Amino acid sequence: MTSQPNTGSDPAAQDMSPQEIQAVIDRILAKDVPAKNVSTPAGEGSGNGKAVLGKAQAISRLDEEHSTYDGDQQDLEERRALRRRAGLSTELEDVTEVEYRQLRLERVVLAGLWSEGTLADAENSLRELAALAETAGSEVLDGLVQRRDKPDPGTFLGSGKALELKDIVMSTGADTVVVDAELAPSQRRGLEDIVKVKVIDRTALILDIFAQHAKSREGKAQVELAQLEYLLPRLRGWGESMSRQAGGQVGGAAAGMGSRGPGETKIELDRRRIRTRMAKLRREIAAMKPARETKRANRRRNEVPSVAIAGYTNAGKSSLLNRLTDAGVLVENALFATLDPTVRKAETADGLGYTLADTVGFVRSLPTQLVEAFRSTLEEVADSDLILHVVDVSHPDPEGQIAAVRKVFSEVDARKVPEIIVLNKADAADPFVVERLKQREPRHVVVSARTGEGIPELLKAISESIPRPSVKMDVLIPYDRGDLISKLHESDAEILNVDHVEAGTRAEVKVREGLASELEPFVVDE
């Protein structure tokens, strides 16, 4: 096979030697070949594939996690100080170890269905599930994918594949099975009865990560509300503890005095308590909303342009915010590392001020409970003047990430907001993948938040895209009105020309409507 030098529009690709181009082609072609440890189906009838997973590919493998723009990262040190460690057991060999005991990682096996798309899509989905499981504090031991048109209504997997999953759990010593879908309560119970260990689904896993990473009062309330909404229809009891009624003689047990009551079962009591708690959380979140709306209203009143940084989880949004504003917010090579929005002030090269807001990351099949609970936070995206849609171009499926994020944009009415695709992590991506996305997304900027590549181009694109002062005026301001001169030099006006004459300062400016009304008495009549 011979290779010709690249003649595309990417300068990096033009400087590559034929050997380097051939190496990239071989690497791309290798992605189309099934993994060595994945057995593909022999025919349409059998249709089962088993994948043994290693390190999750949804988490990037960059050698340097932080740059000098990320600050001291004290929040990250605090989080990692409480993280579980691999290889440490909860079993004590000596009673003196009790004060130094650390919990070991949960040992999990993954399971998923390949019902549509290609095998590569199914494997990428399972790798992302592995990344979620590792972020939640577990050790992924094994995983399997079943080729099936639709889930089994009783056990999600087919009966034979469920028994195979049981054998894998027993052989690996796993204590949890994580399923790459949202399970119905009956499917979860049916699968647990077969594999004999705890079974959780993708939604419960994501909610668990959010519960670990939420720090603000509003974030904790939003996560708890989402968890209770998920738990309510899945509440179940064990034995008689959740089903016995306390009315009368308690079913002939002659419990007598002190046992007579409303005849309400334990599970009904728990459901009522959950609904009461959910109602209280909704009131608390509604009470927190005015504070966020007041800050947003102040920015709108002062006509400060707002830019929202949004995108798939672990795409590098917080790193980009740190690079642009030296915000020093937490950066971690994990999924959903930051949940609470951060707003920082920035300026264009010509002095026009705007705000940059870092938002919660999105993921494929983001639980609807989280979208509803975090709606007040996601309104930062919908109310912005510009969205920086950050995409990890080193990911195996960047187009899938873009589609998943835009689906959430539609749910929060943010599709009408102008959008710039920021192709991040370009230093770790294949040049041909970058070129493919550049052709697919006409409004784009290629950057690397870690190295600083493309940051000047991004700042220029932001400057050209945010709303600018539109009222052009020619004013003569007396020297005793220095307050107006000061306002012209602030970040909500553009000074085109200045001349100091005997009567005062004559300036040709572009201002916003609020300031234009103050300057109206000083307009020069030609």
Side-chain angles (χ1 to χ4, degrees):
M1 180 187 240
T2 58
S3 300
Q4 299 296 329
N6 188 297
T7 57
S9 59
D10 191 352
Q14 293 178 0
D15 296 335
M16 296 173 65
S17 66
Q19 292 79 9
E20 292 174 329
I21 294 177
Q22 183 62 45
V24 172
I25 293 174
D26 294 339
R27 193 158 62 250
I28 294 175
L29 293 178
K31 293 182 179 180
D32 296 331
V33 179
K36 295 180 180 179
N37 49 10
V38 177
S39 58
T40 54
E44 293 292 331
S46 58
N48 293 333
K50 177 184 174 184
V52 180
L53 299 179
K55 180 69 175 177
Q57 290 192 5
I59 297 180
S60 61
R61 293 176 171 81
L62 299 179
D63 296 332
E64 298 179 11
E65 188 175 359
H66 300 106
S67 68
T68 56
Y69 293 87
D70 294 325
D72 295 335
Q73 292 292 311
Q74 295 179 354
D75 291 341
L76 182 59
E77 293 181 5
E78 177 185 352
R79 174 181 293 180
R80 288 181 172 174
L82 301 175
R83 178 150 295 180
R84 298 181 178 190
R85 299 290 189 265
L88 293 172
S89 174
T90 57
E91 299 299 328
L92 301 180
E93 297 179 359
D94 189 337
V95 71
T96 58
E97 298 177 8
V98 68
E99 294 183 2
Y100 308 101
R101 177 174 55 179
Q102 289 181 278
L103 296 177
R104 66 173 172 83
L105 297 174
E106 276 191 82
R107 300 161 63 84
V108 305
V109 173
L110 311 180
L113 285 186
W114 172 22
S115 56
E116 58 183 13
T118 64
L119 177 59
D121 295 333
E123 290 178 351
N124 285 334
S125 179
L126 209 64
R127 290 190 181 104
E128 182 176 270
L129 186 68
L132 289 168
E134 291 176 5
T135 302
S138 64
E139 179 183 2
V140 179
L141 303 177
D142 207 339
L144 61 83
V145 177
Q146 181 181 23
R147 184 72 169 100
R148 189 181 176 92
D149 292 335
K150 59 182 180 180
D152 184 275
T155 58
F156 183 74
L157 301 173
S159 57
K161 187 58 66 175
L163 291 174
E164 183 181 338
L165 178 61
K166 177 184 177 181
D167 294 338
I168 294 175
V169 168
M170 294 180 62
S171 63
T172 58
D175 46 37
T176 306
V177 170
V178 184
V179 177
D180 191 20
E182 183 169 341
L183 296 177
S186 59
Q187 290 175 323
R188 178 183 171 185
R189 287 195 299 269
L191 195 55
E192 279 185 346
D193 290 342
I194 294 176
V195 299
K196 305 300 182 183
V197 296
K198 179 178 65 176
V199 175
I200 65 172
D201 58 14
R202 180 187 179 90
T203 300
L205 183 60
I206 294 175
L207 290 173
D208 184 79
I209 296 172
F210 271 63
Q212 291 182 48
H213 292 175
K215 294 192 66 177
S216 68
R217 180 166 169 260
E218 184 178 7
K220 291 179 180 178
Q222 290 169 330
V223 171
E224 185 180 354
L225 177 60
Q227 287 180 311
L228 292 177
E229 287 180 346
Y230 172 81
L231 174 64
L232 185 59
R234 292 168 174 82
L235 201 61
R236 55 181 287 194
W238 286 265
E240 295 185 347
S241 64
M242 301 287 275
S243 61
R244 289 184 63 187
Q245 292 184 342
Q249 294 296 313
V250 195
M257 291 182 295
S259 66
R260 299 180 182 91
E264 193 172 24
T265 63
K266 180 68 163 57
I267 197 168
E268 289 169 346
L269 280 168
D270 286 355
R271 283 175 179 153
R272 182 159 52 83
R273 287 169 179 164
I274 288 176
R275 291 192 184 98
T276 302
R277 178 61 179 165
M278 289 170 62
K280 182 180 179 182
L281 287 170
R282 288 194 179 99
R283 290 194 299 269
E284 290 179 358
I285 293 172
M288 299 174 197
K289 188 176 180 180
R292 189 181 300 279
E293 288 183 341
T294 300
K295 295 178 183 178
R296 202 176 296 143
N298 287 336
R299 294 197 294 266
R300 281 198 296 263
R301 184 171 60 253
N302 296 326
E303 299 183 83
V304 179
S306 59
V307 180
I309 303 176
Y312 212 78
T313 179
N314 205 41
K317 300 181 295 299
S318 298
S319 298
L320 188 63
L321 178 68
N322 289 343
R323 172 68 70 165
L324 294 176
T325 65
D326 292 329
V329 299
L330 183 144
V331 172
E332 184 180 13
N333 188 20
L335 306 188
F336 299 114
T338 52
L339 301 183
D340 301 316
T342 303
V343 181
R344 292 291 185 271
K345 184 179 179 181
E347 284 190 1
T348 62
D350 55 356
L352 184 64
Y354 61 95
T355 60
L356 271 171
D358 181 21
T359 60
V360 63
F362 305 141
V363 74
R364 180 184 61 84
S365 303
L366 187 68
T368 55
Q369 298 95 334
L370 285 175
V371 176
E372 290 303 318
F374 278 77
R375 185 166 292 275
S376 61
T377 300
L378 296 175
E379 286 175 357
E380 292 283 354
V381 179
D383 290 344
S384 62
D385 297 303
L386 176 68
I387 296 176
L388 300 183
H389 182 169
V390 184
V391 181
D392 178 6
V393 287
S394 66
H395 190 271
D397 184 23
E399 288 89 353
Q401 287 192 351
I402 294 174
V405 172
R406 284 177 172 166
K407 181 180 178 182
V408 181
F409 284 171
S410 300
E411 294 179 15
V412 297
D413 300 325
R415 290 292 286 137
K416 64 182 183 299
V417 182
E419 175 187 26
I420 296 177
I421 295 292
V422 182
L423 303 176
N424 192 26
K425 303 185 183 180
D427 56 317
D430 282 337
F432 292 102
V433 176
V434 176
E435 186 64 31
R436 186 181 73 216
L437 288 170
K438 287 167 64 176
Q439 298 295 331
R440 186 176 183 271
E441 300 291 341
R443 197 177 187 192
H444 65 266
V445 180
V446 181
V447 305
S448 171
R450 187 168 65 97
T451 65
E453 173 190 350
I455 296 298
E457 290 80 3
L458 176 59
L459 290 172
K460 181 181 178 182
I462 295 174
S463 177
E464 294 173 350
S465 302
I466 59 177
R468 287 183 164 272
S470 57
V471 181
K472 190 173 182 180
M473 306 182 75
D474 188 2
V475 294
L476 179 61
I477 302 176
Y479 287 121
D480 61 352
R481 292 303 307 271
D483 58 321
L484 292 179
I485 297 294
S486 177
K487 287 184 179 181
L488 291 178
H489 285 279
E490 290 178 355
S491 57
D492 58 349
E494 289 185 67
I495 300 177
L496 305 179
N497 189 24
V498 177
D499 189 17
H500 300 283
V501 297
E502 183 178 355
T505 302
R506 182 166 183 175
E508 185 180 353
V509 296
K510 281 186 177 181
V511 296
R512 304 192 190 278
E513 293 181 358
L515 185 56
S517 61
E518 293 188 54
L519 296 175
E520 190 68 33
F522 305 101
V523 173
V524 176
D525 295 326
E526 294 290 344

